[in-house]
Amino acid sequence: MPCSRRSRLNYLQIAGVLSMTNATSEVPVALPAPGTHEILDVRPTDCCIVGGGPGGALLGLLLARRGIAVTLLEAHRDFDRDFRGDTLHPSVMEIMEELGLAERLLQLPHTKMRTGTFTAQGQAFLTLDFSRLKTHYPYITMMPQARFLEFITDEAKQYPNFQLVLGANVQELIEENGEIRGVRYRGQGGWHEVRAMLTVGADGRHSRLRELAGFTAVGTSPPMDVLWFRLPRHADEPEGVVAKVGRGKMMALLNRFETWQAAYIFPKGGYQQLRAAGLEALRQSIAEVVPELSDRVHHLQEWSQVAFLSVESSRLTRWYRPGLLLIGDAAHVMSPVGGVGINYAIQDAVVAANILTQPLLTKHLEVRHLAKVQARREWPTRIIQALQALIQKRLIARALDTSQPFQPPAFLQWPFLRDLPPRIIGFGVWPVHVRQ
């Protein structure tokens, strides 16, 4: 509904003055005075989703399929981003199958990772065998995230009640009578407004909506950071993920067709030291940990080829306010251990769609419905983050300790653990299914 008026609305801007009233709530106690913007248009919708990552895109598709008006706002102008998570675990493929999309999805270029091998001093100390999982998809599907997002949003565009807006930089939450009623964003030549019964923040680990809403995350301190880069891969090299430990360093290699996507893992806070040592020192270090790469490390010629990831792990104590729900990394930032972040965001989206469809259709959305989404997803999140923390402290911290030779934790040899890690990585703590 176009309008040329200058409007003044109650909204939440970037607010740093917050008060924790108890251990489970975050309540803003002071807001800056509302600003005034020339609004080019006001768009009504049932659900406004901020963030076009896997969780936000799939939630948009699920709701649109059920007749709910959805506006999906993505800050970037396309989905192409380097070194985004590219792993679709069996849990996601089963969700795609329930939607009737798995066969078509697998027609896109991808690789299948059926095993993962961890070695130290040339000896394997842990093997993950996904081929033993009881599923039609006993592997991890490696697919560029941009292609997956294009696939999901193209499917959603078939529904006239779905709208994707690229280049939408959300700046403000709209609040009326204590409830969130949409967002204001900049893009396409000015300021725009989306009015919604429900606003969903699916905008990742650096969530703008989390900041605007005044939520504070409870964080942990993983012992490592990661450098991501690509090196050529030979056709006769292993197809599964390969992780190697040596000389106080750790590397993981993921098959990306003709290249390896490499993760160089190093102690937390050591990035500036790595940069100061120079690219030649990094190339030498890579060759020491993975000698097989010594013939191609020269391909790293500039630091622009290397992406730095500061590893984080955190979660909110509360994922919602009236009219607002956060999912995925916006609600719980995952460590890269196990590569489960995408899959947990997608499971959040499925649960949210299952619970919220009827309240949205009947226009009777209440806070208790949002609380129910968190209740269903909080414990799986807590459990997987606890397992990630255990691996970080008992395995990765040991691998990065230069004061003594690396010795794999004894519990990795327990026989019953052979099938447990692939099961948890593949499906999560318990499976999630699309309610038809």
Side-chain angles (χ1 to χ4, degrees), residues 31 56 63 104 181 191 212 251 282 316 318 331 335 379 435:
L31 294 174
L63 295 179
R104 285 172 42 210
R181 285 299 179 215
W191 284 83
L212 291 171
M251 278 192 64
L282 176 62
L316 299 181
R318 190 175 66 189
S335 158
W379 277 107
R435 186 179 298 163

Side-chain angles (χ1 to χ4, degrees), residues 27-47:
V27 180
V29 296
L31 294 174
T36 302
H37 307 291
E38 186 73 31
I39 303 300
L40 298 182
D41 61 80
V42 178
R43 176 178 300 158
T45 190
D46 294 331
C47 180

